[in-house]
């Protein structure tokens, strides 16, 4: 693909920073925007990244040292309309990759304040991006990170965004019903409706990537220099299941399987997140088209994942215990789950499936940073029903 201009919102985050480096390595013109909300939340929680992440400015300098390529940065808040208009007008992007939201379900369930903050941050930010596109960059392609959790766990197969419905003798293809399980996941549902509206009414072009749970810490670009590493959270609010289990294995903390452990989700390696986003950017939809791709490579129950980490740990000489703790969330602990995920494969996705070697590699990488692990924020405390 010839070089294009890509604006990466949330470009200082777990996924945004490696994505920025990847597009830059391919020769694209990359601009990132971030307000460091994620770094601030980690401080608020008394938690922190396992990996010693550098400031955004240092990362960009290190990337230039290593690759001789430029990434430009704008520091500001996507809920500020003036900031968003400025970066869109200044960049004139071909594609906008939008990671810039509060991504944690537990954070959004701490209390009323955190729920409202999450929905304001996510929904207002995305609305600002849509208006800026309508007025300043109507040809640009919005690649928006949504989540598989928008669908929840219905007792039917999950389709990719839309479902054909026969009703009273008539047929239509309509958005798949949504049953999100947290205020955060709800914010993504609101975003999806808003973006769909922007495509239908204003002729925007957008790809909504309903992503599963991401695991992993290393990409070809982060491996070039330790200063380029991405953040990696393992606390009860910001950490995700497999990442948390591997850190728990390293420090001898019993793996925290919530409830029965039959909660089944789609998962993918961070390398495949970047691959999927690249495929979406390289294959834009038409004006007015709203596409939904389910972005994960395989599905696992959290119980299966914990058993996997336990088995790989044993092979590495680590004694890993699994502890079923009362589920702090309100969610189905055993359920049917079968979600379609063919559209990215049709575009050329080559999945990096979870193997024992990948789990071992993840554990080894975590062991390198073992001295930085904070124990206090690991135990689950945030409850969906705090009464
Ligand atoms: P992250 O918190 O590390 O990255 C998000 C970045 O956006 C952060 O750097 C944050 O500071 C920035 N940001 C948030 N609100 C902002 C605002 N108002 N203005 C400017 N910058 C803002 O999270 P992540 O894990 O990299 O997730 C990125 C995106 O992917 C999120 O939208 C998340 O919902 C989605 N997602 C993540 C996963 C996962 O497992 N990590 C899975 C599915 C979907
Ligand atoms: N879980 C455990 N033990 C833990 C942590 C989690 O059993 O220590 C369980 C949870 O109860 C849940 C499942 O694992 O059933 C997934 O939880 P998670 O914290 O790994 O992921 P989740 O809260 O769903 O959120 C993460 C990202 C979010 C993204 C979402 C994709 O933080 O940004 O949107 O994964 S998805 O789950 O497909 O909606």
């Amino acid at each position: 693909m010839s070089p294009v201009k890509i604006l990466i919102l949330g470009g200082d985050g777990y996924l945004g920073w490696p994505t920025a480096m990847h597009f830059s390595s391919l020769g694209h013109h990359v601009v990132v925007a971030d307000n460091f909300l994620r770094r601030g939340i980690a401080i608020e929680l008394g938690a922190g990244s396992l990996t010693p992440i550098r400031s955004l400015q240092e990362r960009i300098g290190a990337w230039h040292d290593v690759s001789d390529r430029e990434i430009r940065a704008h520091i500001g808040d996507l809920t500020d309309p003036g900031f968003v208009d400025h970066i869109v007008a200044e960049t004139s992007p071909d594609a906008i990759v939008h990671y810039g939201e509060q991504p944690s379900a537990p954070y959004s369930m701490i209390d009323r304040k955190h729920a409202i903050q999450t929905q304001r941050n996510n929904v207002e930010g995305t609305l600002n991006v849509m208006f800026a596109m309508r007025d300043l960059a109507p040809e640009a392609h919005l690649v928006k990170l949504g989540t598989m959790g928008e669908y929840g766990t219905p007792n039917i197969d999950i389709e990719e965004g839309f479902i054909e419905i026969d009703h009273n003798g008539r047929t239509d293809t309509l958005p798949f019903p949504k049953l999100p399980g947290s205020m955060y996941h709800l914010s993504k549902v609101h975003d999806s409706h808003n973006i769909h509206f922007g495509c239908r009414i204003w002729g925007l072009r957008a790809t909504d990537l309903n992503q599963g749970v991401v695991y992993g810490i290393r990409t070809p670009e982060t491996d070039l220099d330790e200063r380029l590493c991405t953040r990696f959270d393992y606390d009860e609010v910001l950490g995700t299941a497999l990442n948390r289990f591997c850190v728990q294995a390293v420090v001898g903390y019993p793996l925290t399987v919530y409830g029965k452990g039959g909660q089944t989700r789609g998962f993918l390696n961070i390398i495949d997140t970047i691959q999927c986003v690249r495929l979406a950017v390289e294959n834009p939809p038409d004006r007015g088209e709203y596409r939904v791709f389910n972005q994960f490579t395989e599905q696992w129950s959290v119980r299966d994942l914990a058993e996997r980490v336990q088995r790989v740990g044993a092979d590495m000489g680590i004694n890993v215990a699994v502890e079923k703790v009362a589920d702090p969330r309100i969610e189905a602990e055993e359920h049917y789950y079968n979600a379609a995920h063919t559209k990215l494969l049709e575009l050329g996705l080559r999945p990096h499936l979870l193997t024992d070697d990948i789990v071992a590699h993840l554990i080894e990488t975590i062991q390198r940073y073992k001295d930085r692990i904070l124990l206090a924020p690991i135990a689950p405390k945030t409850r969906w029903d705090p009464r």
Side-chain angles (χ1 to χ4, degrees):
M1 186 186 189
S2 52
V4 295
K5 288 176 278 180
I6 304 178
L7 178 57
I8 299 184
L9 309 175
D12 185 52
Y14 169 53
L15 303 176
W17 172 242
T19 305
M21 288 191 288
H22 184 67
F23 279 115
S24 178
S25 76
L26 296 175
H28 298 302
H29 305 290
V30 176
V31 178
V32 299
D34 209 293
N35 68 347
F36 307 129
L37 178 75
R38 175 66 172 241
R39 292 180 189 246
I41 289 176
I43 293 169
E44 174 193 344
L45 298 169
S49 172
L50 170 78
T51 44
I53 50 169
R54 303 300 178 105
S55 71
L56 180 58
Q57 291 78 359
E58 285 174 299
R59 288 171 151 181
I60 286 173
W63 175 245
H64 185 258
D65 293 347
V66 166
S67 68
D68 206 25
R69 295 182 190 276
E70 302 268 355
I71 292 177
R72 290 193 301 120
H74 290 279
I75 310 308
D77 191 331
L78 299 175
T79 65
D80 172 358
F83 174 70
V84 177
D85 282 359
H86 169 71
I87 57 174
V88 170
E90 213 245 10
T91 310
S92 189
D94 298 290
I96 300 178
V97 178
H98 182 11
Y99 288 112
E101 299 201 332
Q102 190 301 98
S104 161
Y107 187 83
S108 75
M109 298 299 286
I110 292 175
D111 57 16
R112 181 198 317 209
K113 183 178 117 192
H114 289 83
I116 293 174
Q117 266 178 9
T118 298
Q119 293 213 354
R120 278 207 175 132
N121 185 67
N122 295 359
V123 176
E124 283 186 26
T126 297
L127 282 169
N128 279 328
V129 173
M130 287 169 48
F131 274 90
M133 288 177 68
R134 185 194 71 171
D135 298 339
L136 302 164
E139 290 296 331
H141 171 200
L142 176 63
V143 178
K144 165 67 168 53
L145 271 290
T147 181
M148 283 302 292
E150 291 184 34
Y151 302 115
T153 54
N155 197 32
I156 57 171
D157 292 345
I158 295 171
E159 305 301 331
E160 289 194 75
F162 292 87
I163 184 168
E164 195 178 298
I165 297 179
D166 283 324
H167 182 62
N168 292 347
R170 300 184 68 80
T171 303
D172 204 348
T173 300
L174 295 167
F176 195 90
K178 305 284 176 79
L179 288 169
S182 75
M183 289 286 178
Y184 153 71
H185 289 96
L186 261 167
S187 75
K188 296 286 197 186
V189 173
H190 303 327
D191 282 345
S192 293
H193 287 308
N194 288 342
I195 297 167
H196 191 188
F197 176 92
C199 295
R200 285 187 293 120
I201 307 301
W202 299 337
L204 301 183
R205 65 177 97 218
T207 307
D208 205 350
L209 296 172
N210 280 345
Q211 181 167 244
V213 187
V214 184
Y215 61 84
I217 198 167
R218 296 173 61 176
T219 71
E221 289 77 28
T222 64
D223 273 356
L224 292 172
D225 188 310
E226 202 188 25
R227 293 173 296 166
L228 300 175
C229 69
T230 193
R231 64 175 308 118
F232 185 91
D233 299 273
Y234 54 90
D235 62 274
E236 58 115 11
V237 170
L238 296 173
T240 48
L242 182 58
N243 288 350
R244 270 169 64 70
F245 291 162
C246 290
V247 169
Q248 291 166 355
V250 167
V251 290
Y253 194 103
L255 308 192
T256 53
V257 171
Y258 295 165
K260 294 183 185 148
Q263 301 93 314
T264 302
R265 302 286 184 269
F267 284 82
L268 73 166
N269 193 309
I270 188 170
I271 293 172
D272 289 339
T273 294
I274 295 169
Q275 203 190 152
C276 291
V277 169
R278 179 177 59 71
L279 286 167
V281 167
E282 287 176 351
N283 298 279
D286 293 332
R287 281 291 300 269
E289 188 183 353
Y290 170 74
R291 294 190 303 198
V292 182
F293 297 162
N294 290 347
Q295 178 166 313
F296 67 96
T297 56
E298 51 196 329
Q299 58 183 59
W300 300 97
S301 71
V302 288
R303 184 173 53 223
D304 290 342
L305 284 178
E307 282 166 5
R308 182 99 178 226
V309 173
Q310 186 175 42
R311 194 180 69 237
V312 173
D315 292 345
M316 298 171 77
I318 308 172
N319 185 16
V320 181
V322 178
E323 184 179 50
K324 289 213 171 119
V325 294
D327 195 336
R329 308 186 184 196
I330 295 173
E331 60 185 351
E333 294 175 15
E334 299 279 5
H335 56 88
Y336 178 77
Y337 198 76
N338 184 31
H341 56 113
T342 54
K343 291 187 182 173
L344 282 157
L345 293 168
E346 284 160 13
L347 285 182
L349 170 66
R350 282 184 303 182
H352 295 72
L353 298 180
L354 188 65
T355 60
D356 287 358
D357 279 351
I358 287 179
V359 176
H361 205 222
L362 186 51
I363 291 174
E364 277 162 15
T365 310
I366 293 165
Q367 282 172 327
R368 279 188 25 222
Y369 300 110
K370 185 176 175 186
D371 292 348
R372 293 174 51 86
I373 298 175
L374 304 170
L375 295 179
I378 291 181
K381 294 191 191 76
T382 306
R383 300 177 56 79
W384 264 223
D385 181 2
R387 284 166 297 169

